[in-house]
Amino acid sequence: DTEVTQTPKHLVMGMTNKKSLKCEQHMGHRAMYWYKQKAKKPPELMFVYSYEKLSINESVPSRFSPECPNSSLLNLHLHALQPEDSALYLCASSQDRSRANQPQHFGDGTRLSIL
Amino acid sequence: RKEVEQDPGPFNVPEGATVAFNCTYSNSASQSFFWYRQDCRKEPKLLMSVYSSGNEDGRFTAQLNRASQYISLLIRDSKLSDSATYLCVLDTGNQFYFGTGTSLTVIP
């Protein structure tokens, strides 16, 4: 069982909807990540939070808006998405970014479909 | 040039075979290296970290060659349950980079 919990598992939304993806970890990790993964491709990094501050934004369109309310939670707010945004959205966490050999632990993802 | 290059395969091997995957990387400042496995429609799961001295976990052996800038994963005595996509990941300290993944199918 994964120690990073993502909800919902599946989400179908229209292009005008607003929804949020949620991620939670209780391992005391201080770095959290959002990835987007299309079929048969590796995960693509979207955002990195380190100590609740956004440290990397990989030029993600503004229709994706991350939020880190506290050290255990990471949200991804979605608005006016496009059909090409349909993908598996993965959250991950790692202990912190200050030391080497700190692997990421992934949640089981939210499978998002945009109609 | 991509940060990480990985042979996508597919590798189709019989049960009991030994199979090896490599990844090459371009950033010599890369600090940490990992192998993940990902089953179809599941999340990536950490298989093992890769240390400079090489490390082994049961049937799996990982090696790092900093001079030639590659990492490898060796799987001995392949099982049907080893069928998955294997992703190499490197951490430069700024961010993580993923290889494209190598697909392995172990055939009965």
PDB file of all heavy atoms in Angstrom, chain A residues 30-33 48-51 55-56 94-100 102 104, chain B residues 31 91-96:
ATOM      1  N   ARG A  30       9.261  16.748   3.406  1.00  0.00           N
ATOM      2  CA  ARG A  30       9.122  18.187   3.242  1.00  0.00           C
ATOM      3  C   ARG A  30       9.195  18.623   1.785  1.00  0.00           C
ATOM      4  O   ARG A  30       9.185  19.826   1.495  1.00  0.00           O
ATOM      5  CB  ARG A  30      10.190  18.927   4.061  1.00  0.00           C
ATOM      6  CG  ARG A  30      10.177  18.591   5.542  1.00  0.00           C
ATOM      7  CD  ARG A  30       8.780  18.683   6.168  1.00  0.00           C
ATOM      8  NE  ARG A  30       8.243  20.015   6.124  1.00  0.00           N
ATOM      9  CZ  ARG A  30       8.416  20.925   7.090  1.00  0.00           C
ATOM     10  NH1 ARG A  30       9.112  20.627   8.159  1.00  0.00           N
ATOM     11  NH2 ARG A  30       7.886  22.137   6.968  1.00  0.00           N
ATOM     12  N   ALA A  31       9.309  17.675   0.873  1.00  0.00           N
ATOM     13  CA  ALA A  31       9.258  17.984  -0.558  1.00  0.00           C
ATOM     14  C   ALA A  31       8.110  17.198  -1.173  1.00  0.00           C
ATOM     15  O   ALA A  31       7.966  16.002  -0.918  1.00  0.00           O
ATOM     16  CB  ALA A  31      10.574  17.626  -1.246  1.00  0.00           C
ATOM     17  N   MET A  32       7.305  17.895  -1.974  1.00  0.00           N
ATOM     18  CA  MET A  32       6.174  17.239  -2.628  1.00  0.00           C
ATOM     19  C   MET A  32       6.116  17.682  -4.074  1.00  0.00           C
ATOM     20  O   MET A  32       6.538  18.802  -4.419  1.00  0.00           O
ATOM     21  CB  MET A  32       4.864  17.545  -1.896  1.00  0.00           C
ATOM     22  CG  MET A  32       4.857  16.969  -0.471  1.00  0.00           C
ATOM     23  SD  MET A  32       3.293  17.176   0.387  1.00  0.00           S
ATOM     24  CE  MET A  32       2.289  15.882  -0.360  1.00  0.00           C
ATOM     25  N   TYR A  33       5.588  16.811  -4.920  1.00  0.00           N
ATOM     26  CA  TYR A  33       5.698  16.985  -6.377  1.00  0.00           C
ATOM     27  C   TYR A  33       4.369  16.635  -7.050  1.00  0.00           C
ATOM     28  O   TYR A  33       3.657  15.726  -6.604  1.00  0.00           O
ATOM     29  CB  TYR A  33       6.752  16.026  -6.953  1.00  0.00           C
ATOM     30  CG  TYR A  33       8.074  16.001  -6.219  1.00  0.00           C
ATOM     31  CD1 TYR A  33       8.215  15.306  -5.029  1.00  0.00           C
ATOM     32  CD2 TYR A  33       9.182  16.660  -6.741  1.00  0.00           C
ATOM     33  CE1 TYR A  33       9.432  15.266  -4.357  1.00  0.00           C
ATOM     34  CE2 TYR A  33      10.399  16.629  -6.078  1.00  0.00           C
ATOM     35  CZ  TYR A  33      10.516  15.931  -4.888  1.00  0.00           C
ATOM     36  OH  TYR A  33      11.726  15.905  -4.233  1.00  0.00           O
ATOM     37  N   VAL A  48       7.170  21.499  -7.998  1.00  0.00           N
ATOM     38  CA  VAL A  48       7.855  20.995  -6.815  1.00  0.00           C
ATOM     39  C   VAL A  48       7.633  21.983  -5.684  1.00  0.00           C
ATOM     40  O   VAL A  48       7.816  23.191  -5.866  1.00  0.00           O
ATOM     41  CB  VAL A  48       9.375  20.848  -7.038  1.00  0.00           C
ATOM     42  CG1 VAL A  48      10.045  20.320  -5.765  1.00  0.00           C
ATOM     43  CG2 VAL A  48       9.669  19.934  -8.215  1.00  0.00           C
ATOM     44  N   TYR A  49       7.240  21.458  -4.522  1.00  0.00           N
ATOM     45  CA  TYR A  49       7.166  22.253  -3.309  1.00  0.00           C
ATOM     46  C   TYR A  49       8.228  21.757  -2.345  1.00  0.00           C
ATOM     47  O   TYR A  49       8.377  20.548  -2.135  1.00  0.00           O
ATOM     48  CB  TYR A  49       5.784  22.124  -2.657  1.00  0.00           C
ATOM     49  CG  TYR A  49       4.771  23.100  -3.185  1.00  0.00           C
ATOM     50  CD1 TYR A  49       4.086  22.840  -4.370  1.00  0.00           C
ATOM     51  CD2 TYR A  49       4.513  24.291  -2.509  1.00  0.00           C
ATOM     52  CE1 TYR A  49       3.172  23.754  -4.864  1.00  0.00           C
ATOM     53  CE2 TYR A  49       3.585  25.205  -2.995  1.00  0.00           C
ATOM     54  CZ  TYR A  49       2.923  24.926  -4.172  1.00  0.00           C
ATOM     55  OH  TYR A  49       2.017  25.832  -4.670  1.00  0.00           O
ATOM     56  N   SER A  50       8.935  22.701  -1.775  1.00  0.00           N
ATOM     57  CA  SER A  50       9.936  22.363  -0.784  1.00  0.00           C
ATOM     58  C   SER A  50       9.651  23.212   0.450  1.00  0.00           C
ATOM     59  O   SER A  50       9.632  24.450   0.357  1.00  0.00           O
ATOM     60  CB  SER A  50      11.341  22.652  -1.318  1.00  0.00           C
ATOM     61  OG  SER A  50      12.327  22.322  -0.368  1.00  0.00           O
ATOM     62  N   TYR A  51       9.422  22.554   1.582  1.00  0.00           N
ATOM     63  CA  TYR A  51       9.041  23.258   2.813  1.00  0.00           C
ATOM     64  C   TYR A  51       7.880  24.211   2.553  1.00  0.00           C
ATOM     65  O   TYR A  51       7.914  25.382   2.949  1.00  0.00           O
ATOM     66  CB  TYR A  51      10.253  23.978   3.419  1.00  0.00           C
ATOM     67  CG  TYR A  51      11.261  23.021   3.997  1.00  0.00           C
ATOM     68  CD1 TYR A  51      12.218  22.412   3.201  1.00  0.00           C
ATOM     69  CD2 TYR A  51      11.224  22.708   5.359  1.00  0.00           C
ATOM     70  CE1 TYR A  51      13.115  21.502   3.748  1.00  0.00           C
ATOM     71  CE2 TYR A  51      12.129  21.802   5.904  1.00  0.00           C
ATOM     72  CZ  TYR A  51      13.068  21.208   5.087  1.00  0.00           C
ATOM     73  OH  TYR A  51      13.955  20.313   5.627  1.00  0.00           O
ATOM     74  N   SER A  55       8.972  25.677  -5.437  1.00  0.00           N
ATOM     75  CA  SER A  55      10.364  25.882  -5.835  1.00  0.00           C
ATOM     76  C   SER A  55      10.578  25.650  -7.325  1.00  0.00           C
ATOM     77  O   SER A  55      11.525  26.184  -7.905  1.00  0.00           O
ATOM     78  CB  SER A  55      11.304  24.985  -5.021  1.00  0.00           C
ATOM     79  OG  SER A  55      11.020  23.617  -5.247  1.00  0.00           O
ATOM     80  N   ILE A  56       9.742  24.854  -7.949  1.00  0.00           N
ATOM     81  CA  ILE A  56       9.859  24.627  -9.389  1.00  0.00           C
ATOM     82  C   ILE A  56       8.464  24.628 -10.000  1.00  0.00           C
ATOM     83  O   ILE A  56       7.549  23.965  -9.502  1.00  0.00           O
ATOM     84  CB  ILE A  56      10.560  23.289  -9.715  1.00  0.00           C
ATOM     85  CG1 ILE A  56      12.026  23.336  -9.265  1.00  0.00           C
ATOM     86  CG2 ILE A  56      10.487  22.981 -11.210  1.00  0.00           C
ATOM     87  CD1 ILE A  56      12.780  22.037  -9.492  1.00  0.00           C
ATOM     88  N   SER A  94       9.263  13.367  -1.081  1.00  0.00           N
ATOM     89  CA  SER A  94      10.579  12.880  -0.670  1.00  0.00           C
ATOM     90  C   SER A  94      10.970  13.617   0.602  1.00  0.00           C
ATOM     91  O   SER A  94      10.394  14.666   0.925  1.00  0.00           O
ATOM     92  CB  SER A  94      11.633  13.077  -1.763  1.00  0.00           C
ATOM     93  OG  SER A  94      11.853  14.439  -2.028  1.00  0.00           O
ATOM     94  N   GLN A  95      11.956  13.091   1.291  1.00  0.00           N
ATOM     95  CA  GLN A  95      12.263  13.589   2.625  1.00  0.00           C
ATOM     96  C   GLN A  95      12.539  15.096   2.598  1.00  0.00           C
ATOM     97  O   GLN A  95      11.899  15.856   3.315  1.00  0.00           O
ATOM     98  CB  GLN A  95      13.466  12.848   3.189  1.00  0.00           C
ATOM     99  CG  GLN A  95      13.661  13.069   4.668  1.00  0.00           C
ATOM    100  CD  GLN A  95      14.056  11.771   5.367  1.00  0.00           C
ATOM    101  OE1 GLN A  95      14.323  10.764   4.749  1.00  0.00           O
ATOM    102  NE2 GLN A  95      14.091  11.805   6.674  1.00  0.00           N
ATOM    103  N   ASP A  96      13.495  15.517   1.832  1.00  0.00           N
ATOM    104  CA  ASP A  96      13.703  16.933   1.567  1.00  0.00           C
ATOM    105  C   ASP A  96      14.667  17.058   0.406  1.00  0.00           C
ATOM    106  O   ASP A  96      15.106  16.045  -0.152  1.00  0.00           O
ATOM    107  CB  ASP A  96      14.187  17.704   2.807  1.00  0.00           C
ATOM    108  CG  ASP A  96      15.528  17.208   3.328  1.00  0.00           C
ATOM    109  OD1 ASP A  96      16.448  16.979   2.515  1.00  0.00           O
ATOM    110  OD2 ASP A  96      15.668  17.056   4.551  1.00  0.00           O
ATOM    111  N   ARG A  97      14.995  18.285   0.015  1.00  0.00           N
ATOM    112  CA  ARG A  97      15.835  18.499  -1.164  1.00  0.00           C
ATOM    113  C   ARG A  97      17.261  18.865  -0.771  1.00  0.00           C
ATOM    114  O   ARG A  97      18.056  19.261  -1.609  1.00  0.00           O
ATOM    115  CB  ARG A  97      15.242  19.607  -2.038  1.00  0.00           C
ATOM    116  CG  ARG A  97      13.848  19.307  -2.556  1.00  0.00           C
ATOM    117  CD  ARG A  97      13.798  18.058  -3.395  1.00  0.00           C
ATOM    118  NE  ARG A  97      14.560  18.222  -4.631  1.00  0.00           N
ATOM    119  CZ  ARG A  97      15.300  17.272  -5.180  1.00  0.00           C
ATOM    120  NH1 ARG A  97      15.417  16.099  -4.613  1.00  0.00           N
ATOM    121  NH2 ARG A  97      15.947  17.491  -6.308  1.00  0.00           N
ATOM    122  N   SER A  98      17.583  18.751   0.521  1.00  0.00           N
ATOM    123  CA  SER A  98      18.899  19.216   0.952  1.00  0.00           C
ATOM    124  C   SER A  98      19.943  18.107   1.003  1.00  0.00           C
ATOM    125  O   SER A  98      21.124  18.372   1.157  1.00  0.00           O
ATOM    126  CB  SER A  98      18.794  19.874   2.336  1.00  0.00           C
ATOM    127  OG  SER A  98      18.366  18.919   3.295  1.00  0.00           O
ATOM    128  N   ARG A  99      19.496  16.857   0.883  1.00  0.00           N
ATOM    129  CA  ARG A  99      20.439  15.746   0.973  1.00  0.00           C
ATOM    130  C   ARG A  99      20.280  14.833  -0.226  1.00  0.00           C
ATOM    131  O   ARG A  99      19.212  14.741  -0.812  1.00  0.00           O
ATOM    132  CB  ARG A  99      20.200  14.952   2.264  1.00  0.00           C
ATOM    133  CG  ARG A  99      20.579  15.687   3.526  1.00  0.00           C
ATOM    134  CD  ARG A  99      20.304  14.819   4.732  1.00  0.00           C
ATOM    135  NE  ARG A  99      18.887  14.629   4.952  1.00  0.00           N
ATOM    136  CZ  ARG A  99      18.382  13.670   5.719  1.00  0.00           C
ATOM    137  NH1 ARG A  99      19.178  12.800   6.297  1.00  0.00           N
ATOM    138  NH2 ARG A  99      17.084  13.570   5.892  1.00  0.00           N
ATOM    139  N   ALA A 100      21.352  14.110  -0.543  1.00  0.00           N
ATOM    140  CA  ALA A 100      21.319  13.177  -1.661  1.00  0.00           C
ATOM    141  C   ALA A 100      20.641  11.869  -1.236  1.00  0.00           C
ATOM    142  O   ALA A 100      20.396  11.613  -0.059  1.00  0.00           O
ATOM    143  CB  ALA A 100      22.741  12.902  -2.148  1.00  0.00           C
ATOM    144  N   GLN A 102      17.650  10.670  -1.598  1.00  0.00           N
ATOM    145  CA  GLN A 102      16.312  10.716  -1.012  1.00  0.00           C
ATOM    146  C   GLN A 102      15.314  10.409  -2.119  1.00  0.00           C
ATOM    147  O   GLN A 102      14.935  11.297  -2.887  1.00  0.00           O
ATOM    148  CB  GLN A 102      16.028  12.104  -0.412  1.00  0.00           C
ATOM    149  CG  GLN A 102      16.998  12.509   0.664  1.00  0.00           C
ATOM    150  CD  GLN A 102      16.918  11.605   1.879  1.00  0.00           C
ATOM    151  OE1 GLN A 102      15.861  11.155   2.263  1.00  0.00           O
ATOM    152  NE2 GLN A 102      18.069  11.325   2.476  1.00  0.00           N
ATOM    153  N   GLN A 104      11.865   9.468  -4.270  1.00  0.00           N
ATOM    154  CA  GLN A 104      10.476   9.898  -4.233  1.00  0.00           C
ATOM    155  C   GLN A 104       9.566   8.689  -4.013  1.00  0.00           C
ATOM    156  O   GLN A 104       9.845   7.594  -4.496  1.00  0.00           O
ATOM    157  CB  GLN A 104      10.096  10.554  -5.558  1.00  0.00           C
ATOM    158  CG  GLN A 104      10.835  11.831  -5.832  1.00  0.00           C
ATOM    159  CD  GLN A 104      10.464  12.396  -7.183  1.00  0.00           C
ATOM    160  OE1 GLN A 104      10.492  11.699  -8.189  1.00  0.00           O
ATOM    161  NE2 GLN A 104      10.115  13.658  -7.214  1.00  0.00           N
TER     162      GLN A 104
ATOM    163  N   GLN B  31      23.537  13.626  -8.700  1.00  0.00           N
ATOM    164  CA  GLN B  31      23.940  13.208  -7.361  1.00  0.00           C
ATOM    165  C   GLN B  31      23.459  11.818  -6.983  1.00  0.00           C
ATOM    166  O   GLN B  31      24.188  11.060  -6.364  1.00  0.00           O
ATOM    167  CB  GLN B  31      23.381  14.202  -6.342  1.00  0.00           C
ATOM    168  CG  GLN B  31      23.943  15.596  -6.477  1.00  0.00           C
ATOM    169  CD  GLN B  31      23.341  16.534  -5.441  1.00  0.00           C
ATOM    170  OE1 GLN B  31      22.482  16.149  -4.651  1.00  0.00           O
ATOM    171  NE2 GLN B  31      23.788  17.763  -5.444  1.00  0.00           N
ATOM    172  N   ASP B  91      18.748  12.320  -9.875  1.00  0.00           N
ATOM    173  CA  ASP B  91      18.459  13.527  -9.104  1.00  0.00           C
ATOM    174  C   ASP B  91      19.697  14.415  -9.161  1.00  0.00           C
ATOM    175  O   ASP B  91      20.767  14.022  -8.693  1.00  0.00           O
ATOM    176  CB  ASP B  91      18.121  13.141  -7.665  1.00  0.00           C
ATOM    177  CG  ASP B  91      17.783  14.330  -6.785  1.00  0.00           C
ATOM    178  OD1 ASP B  91      17.696  15.464  -7.304  1.00  0.00           O
ATOM    179  OD2 ASP B  91      17.607  14.124  -5.570  1.00  0.00           O
ATOM    180  N   THR B  92      19.541  15.600  -9.746  1.00  0.00           N
ATOM    181  CA  THR B  92      20.680  16.511  -9.840  1.00  0.00           C
ATOM    182  C   THR B  92      20.805  17.405  -8.616  1.00  0.00           C
ATOM    183  O   THR B  92      21.730  18.202  -8.527  1.00  0.00           O
ATOM    184  CB  THR B  92      20.532  17.412 -11.078  1.00  0.00           C
ATOM    185  OG1 THR B  92      19.340  18.208 -10.924  1.00  0.00           O
ATOM    186  CG2 THR B  92      20.434  16.600 -12.357  1.00  0.00           C
ATOM    187  N   GLY B  93      19.859  17.280  -7.705  1.00  0.00           N
ATOM    188  CA  GLY B  93      19.806  18.177  -6.559  1.00  0.00           C
ATOM    189  C   GLY B  93      18.823  19.309  -6.792  1.00  0.00           C
ATOM    190  O   GLY B  93      18.287  19.881  -5.851  1.00  0.00           O
ATOM    191  N   ASN B  94      18.614  19.623  -8.080  1.00  0.00           N
ATOM    192  CA  ASN B  94      17.582  20.604  -8.420  1.00  0.00           C
ATOM    193  C   ASN B  94      16.272  19.911  -8.724  1.00  0.00           C
ATOM    194  O   ASN B  94      15.215  20.354  -8.308  1.00  0.00           O
ATOM    195  CB  ASN B  94      18.015  21.443  -9.630  1.00  0.00           C
ATOM    196  CG  ASN B  94      19.076  22.436  -9.265  1.00  0.00           C
ATOM    197  OD1 ASN B  94      19.043  23.011  -8.176  1.00  0.00           O
ATOM    198  ND2 ASN B  94      20.028  22.659 -10.151  1.00  0.00           N
ATOM    199  N   GLN B  95      16.351  18.856  -9.500  1.00  0.00           N
ATOM    200  CA  GLN B  95      15.133  18.108  -9.778  1.00  0.00           C
ATOM    201  C   GLN B  95      15.456  16.687 -10.227  1.00  0.00           C
ATOM    202  O   GLN B  95      16.606  16.333 -10.430  1.00  0.00           O
ATOM    203  CB  GLN B  95      14.277  18.824 -10.806  1.00  0.00           C
ATOM    204  CG  GLN B  95      14.867  18.980 -12.185  1.00  0.00           C
ATOM    205  CD  GLN B  95      13.781  19.369 -13.163  1.00  0.00           C
ATOM    206  OE1 GLN B  95      12.883  18.580 -13.448  1.00  0.00           O
ATOM    207  NE2 GLN B  95      13.845  20.573 -13.693  1.00  0.00           N
ATOM    208  N   PHE B  96      14.373  15.905 -10.336  1.00  0.00           N
ATOM    209  CA  PHE B  96      14.487  14.521 -10.773  1.00  0.00           C
ATOM    210  C   PHE B  96      14.263  14.436 -12.278  1.00  0.00           C
ATOM    211  O   PHE B  96      13.394  15.116 -12.825  1.00  0.00           O
ATOM    212  CB  PHE B  96      13.420  13.660 -10.076  1.00  0.00           C
ATOM    213  CG  PHE B  96      13.668  13.440  -8.613  1.00  0.00           C
ATOM    214  CD1 PHE B  96      13.289  14.375  -7.670  1.00  0.00           C
ATOM    215  CD2 PHE B  96      14.264  12.265  -8.181  1.00  0.00           C
ATOM    216  CE1 PHE B  96      13.504  14.166  -6.318  1.00  0.00           C
ATOM    217  CE2 PHE B  96      14.478  12.035  -6.829  1.00  0.00           C
ATOM    218  CZ  PHE B  96      14.106  12.983  -5.897  1.00  0.00           C
TER     219      PHE B  96
END
